[in-house]
Amino acid sequence: PPQQQPMTKPALNLQSLRFLVADGNSYFQSILYGILHALGAQHIAVTGNGDEALAHSRAGVTDLLICDWNLPQLDGFDLVRRIREDNHNPNRHTPVIVLTSHARAQNVERARDCGANLVLAKPISPKMIYDRLLWIAEDPRPFVLTRATFAGNLVGHYLVGLPISLGLCFGAGMGAPGLWWGLSAGLTATAIYLVVRFVRSTTGSPR
């Protein structure tokens, strides 16, 4: 990709940060590389498909991943999901910006559910990229493992709480207090499950 001179000194210092750009279109690869370089980035890796991006993410730490949703071989949503769900991937918590040519609600929801931090609609501009980088730097929200949250609620409420509620309410004849104790048990089980998941995700322990 062509070398460009850095823009006027930005508030963000990107020189030491490592970026991974994943886009199947060589034109957009050049655009993204040029924008990041113009903003001061010096370490920019570029890949053309999801499989290469996934392999790169496993090989070393990246500070920001920018990927198109419609990548060849492994699309952007599946790429982000695999990174987020892999306890041994060093970039499991790395901020991710997903690019899309179709900013439909469905794509935004899929990006959110797979663990992306932001969605950006093409065509893009230096200001758009810079504003998102600034937003991530000021508000580094952790991703949410929606699948794990759903599983935790399912197990806690339906496999633990509901049987206990029915057993205490009707089997033991406790009535409403039995329902309350069952609900409490379900909430407790859900909380324990989510805490264990959180600890494992932050310590890198195997599933």
Side-chain angles (χ1 to χ4, degrees), residues 18-31:
R18 291 150 295 190
F19 294 84
L20 174 58
V21 171
D23 198 301
N25 186 303
S26 59
Y27 172 75
F28 280 111
Q29 288 178 11
S30 298
I31 292 293

Side-chain angles (χ1 to χ4, degrees), residues 28-60:
F28 280 111
Q29 288 178 11
S30 298
I31 292 293
L32 287 165
Y33 182 94
I35 288 175
L36 291 172
H37 184 74
L39 291 173
Q42 300 296 318
H43 309 286
I44 310 167
V46 179
T47 62
N49 62 68
D51 286 342
E52 290 179 357
L54 182 61
H56 191 282
S57 75
R58 290 169 172 165

Side-chain angles (χ1 to χ4, degrees), residues 187-204:
L187 291 172
T188 301
T190 300
I192 292 173
Y193 174 84
L194 293 178
V195 167
V196 170
R197 288 290 305 215
F198 174 76
V199 170
R200 287 184 174 180
S201 70
T202 54
T203 60

Side-chain angles (χ1 to χ4, degrees), residues 89-194:
N89 192 309
N91 297 294
R92 190 168 188 252
H93 298 280
T94 294
V96 176
I97 298 176
V98 170
L99 304 178
T100 174
S101 300
H102 310 285
R104 297 188 294 255
Q106 180 183 8
N107 285 344
V108 174
E109 291 174 0
R110 290 184 65 191
R112 176 203 64 198
D113 292 343
C114 74
N117 297 76
L118 288 171
V119 179
L120 193 56
K122 293 179 178 180
I124 57 176
S125 68
K127 184 179 186 305
M128 291 168 66
I129 294 293
Y130 179 77
D131 286 346
R132 271 57 179 191
L133 293 177
L134 190 62
W135 187 89
I136 288 175
E138 293 177 346
D139 186 18
R141 299 182 184 180
F143 69 92
V144 177
L145 282 174
T146 54
R147 188 179 303 175
T149 304
F150 173 77
N153 279 280
L154 182 66
V155 171
H157 291 296
Y158 292 98
L159 298 184
V160 177
L162 183 59
I164 292 177
S165 292
L166 295 177
L168 294 178
C169 178
F170 300 105
M174 294 179 62
L179 293 175
W180 185 86
W181 281 110
L183 175 62
S184 298
L187 291 172
T188 301
T190 300
I192 292 173
Y193 174 84
L194 293 178

